[in-house]
Amino acid sequence: MFLSLRKFALCCPRATLTRFYSIPVTRISRRKWGLEGIPRPRSILDDDDAPVDLSEDNDAVNGARPGTPPLHLREPPKKPTPALHQAHRETLKKNFPGGWNPPRKVSREAMQGIRQMHRLEPEKFSTPVLAEKFKISPEAVRRILKSKWEPSREKRVKIAERERNEKMEYLSSRRIAERTEARTLRESAYVGTKRDGFEFQ
């Protein structure tokens, strides 16, 4: 029995495939599922000879309207800039007359973290929430999320080295400031007191 089925499968592969991949719809199942009058589905093997058109219309795939010129040939819109956007731009120009230069900057790793958190859960990690967590302005978060620029390997090494140097300078300046503050506090505590026969003034 097994050999005869195997010989049949070797000599008639189409019949074997049809048996495995087509679904027979019996009269009982037609009555049971209410399929009376619906034709039997075609087998996937029946449309082998039909020509398949693989050409795609790029505009239809990209969702562009028919007759839309390419990006480099389009003209800017004639409509005026919306009031909110214009007010936002004027506020930025007033706050940063020399261009965008925020007072507090975050590292490249923090920028990657901001992008990743927003990509994973945009509702939970919205712009105001990220701005509050990283202690930067919402505009800075907006710009970080919008930017897609990634530095090259050499530039990344230079940026990391520069950030390390800036951090060391900041820590050393903080230490010096703390020492001077501690010294002034110590000296102010001794003013007007006598110690070992000396009076501090």
Side-chain angles (χ1 to χ4, degrees), residues 182-195:
R183 190 180 306 123
T184 54
L185 284 172
R186 255 196 325 267
E187 289 172 358
S188 65
Y190 290 141
V191 171
T193 60
K194 287 187 177 179
R195 185 176 171 192

Side-chain angles (χ1 to χ4, degrees), residues 65-134:
R65 284 182 239 145
T68 306
L71 284 172
H72 66 282
L73 295 177
R74 292 182 199 170
E75 293 181 7
K78 301 284 191 266
K79 294 178 184 176
T81 309
L84 288 172
H85 184 64
Q86 198 166 0
H88 177 68
R89 282 177 63 186
E90 286 170 5
T91 307
L92 279 178
K93 281 182 184 176
K94 188 177 78 178
N95 290 343
F96 302 100
W100 174 252
N101 188 17
R104 180 175 166 77
K105 297 178 176 74
V106 293
S107 65
R108 184 89 14 215
E109 289 83 13
M111 287 184 194
Q112 286 292 91
I114 288 171
R115 286 193 198 107
Q116 197 166 3
M117 284 193 286
H118 185 73
R119 189 170 49 246
L120 289 174
E121 293 187 63
E123 293 85 19
K124 186 178 178 183
F125 298 111
S126 60
T127 304
V129 171
L130 289 169
E132 188 183 342
K133 292 284 181 192
F134 285 88

Side-chain angles (χ1 to χ4, degrees), residues 24-40:
V25 181
T26 60
R27 299 224 15 103
I28 297 167
S29 61
R30 279 180 185 277
R31 218 174 314 119
K32 184 178 174 185
W33 297 334
L35 297 174
E36 284 294 338
I38 298 173
R40 178 179 168 222

Side-chain angles (χ1 to χ4, degrees), residues 146-192:
K146 199 166 94 172
S147 72
K148 301 283 186 268
W149 180 79
E150 281 295 322
S152 63
R153 187 182 180 85
E154 297 84 22
K155 188 129 183 157
R156 216 176 294 139
V157 170
K158 284 181 183 175
I159 289 171
E161 190 175 344
R162 190 179 69 213
E163 284 176 354
R164 199 178 316 113
N165 292 340
E166 286 174 358
K167 187 176 180 182
M168 293 301 290
E169 285 175 14
Y170 172 74
L171 289 174
S172 64
S173 65
R174 281 293 301 268
R175 273 194 220 106
I176 292 167
E178 285 173 2
R179 283 179 188 154
T180 54
E181 189 180 348
R183 190 180 306 123
T184 54
L185 284 172
R186 255 196 325 267
E187 289 172 358
S188 65
Y190 290 141
V191 171

Side-chain angles (χ1 to χ4, degrees), residues 23-58:
I23 303 165
V25 181
T26 60
R27 299 224 15 103
I28 297 167
S29 61
R30 279 180 185 277
R31 218 174 314 119
K32 184 178 174 185
W33 297 334
L35 297 174
E36 284 294 338
I38 298 173
R40 178 179 168 222
R42 283 179 63 190
S43 169
I44 60 170
L45 300 171
D46 292 344
D47 60 352
D48 284 346
D49 303 329
V52 179
D53 182 24
L54 296 176
S55 64
E56 292 180 346
D57 186 3
N58 288 333

